[in-house]
């Protein structure tokens, strides 16, 4: 079942970051990787979100798929990943509500944060607080954060050659 997917940020979503927003570098953040078990990764993510003020996990669902057992057997339904949704609420200086979505599948975490509080620093901060459980898969977002993108062609060459 592919009903759980992480979507890219929409054109009108200003406070949004997603690992699926590959066409908009300002709203893109690299997916995370993990090497622990799926259950441990999910538990760590739930713990990280639970420790944040104003954040509440409101849905955790198994993502199911079909696995072929053998030539003479029917395909069995197996859990192929986990989907987690949480809400963020602001109550003090700023009021609003935001959404956090995470899909843990094949040792990769894809995500989308939108609405109140959504930013690259929010999702990167979560990853960094995981004590190394989640690591960035790297890529274009890291080059963007280093400032090379704003330098045009020269910046692209610097990023490519590692200067």
């Amino acid at each position: 079942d592919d009903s759980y997917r992480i979507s890219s940020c929409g054109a009108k979503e200003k406070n949004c970051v997603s690992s699926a927003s590959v066409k908009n570098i300002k709203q893109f953040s690299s997916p995370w990787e993990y090497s622990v078990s799926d259950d441990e990764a999910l538990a760590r993510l739930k713990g990280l979100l639970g420790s944040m003020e104003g954040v509440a996990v409101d849905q955790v669902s198994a993502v199911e798929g079909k696995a072929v057992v053998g030539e003479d057997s029917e395909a069995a339904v197996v859990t192929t990943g986990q989907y987690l949704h949480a809400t963020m609420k602001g109550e003090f200086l700023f009021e609003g509500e935001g959404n956090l979505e995470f899909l843990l599948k094949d040792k990769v975490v894809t995500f989308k944060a939108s609405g109140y509080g959504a930013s690259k620093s929010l999702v990167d901060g979560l990853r960094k607080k995981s004590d190394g459980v989640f690591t960035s898969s790297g890529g274009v977002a890291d080059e963007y954060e280093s400032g090379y993108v704003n330098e045009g062609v020269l910046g692209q060459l610097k990023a490519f050659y590692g200067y």
Side-chain angles (χ1 to χ4, degrees), residues 72-124:
D72 298 330
S73 305
E74 291 186 26
V77 175
V78 296
T79 299
T80 59
Q82 296 284 339
Y83 172 84
L84 184 147
H85 182 271
T87 56
M88 301 179 287
K89 291 187 179 181
E91 299 173 357
F92 299 106
L93 294 174
F94 301 100
E95 290 188 15
E97 187 169 314
N99 293 293
L100 292 166
E101 295 179 273
F102 297 89
L103 182 62
L104 292 80
K105 190 172 180 181
D106 299 325
K107 302 290 185 190
V108 174
V109 180
T110 52
F111 51 83
K112 179 179 181 181
S114 59
Y116 172 83
S119 67
K120 285 186 181 187
S121 60
L122 172 81
V123 293
D124 198 41

Side-chain angles (χ1 to χ4, degrees), residues 24-91:
N24 184 348
I25 193 71
K26 290 182 180 180
Q27 294 181 317
F28 174 79
S29 188
S30 296
W32 307 341
E33 297 174 339
Y34 60 95
S35 57
V36 298
S37 72
D38 294 339
D39 289 340
E40 186 176 339
L42 180 64
R44 181 62 61 104
L45 184 57
K46 286 168 61 177
L48 289 168
L49 294 171
S51 70
M52 295 174 61
E53 190 172 329
V55 175
V57 175
D58 58 9
Q59 179 185 354
V60 177
S61 302
V63 178
E64 297 178 339
K66 292 186 178 180
V68 177
V69 179
E71 290 181 21
D72 298 330
S73 305
E74 291 186 26
V77 175
V78 296
T79 299
T80 59
Q82 296 284 339
Y83 172 84
L84 184 147
H85 182 271
T87 56
M88 301 179 287
K89 291 187 179 181
E91 299 173 357

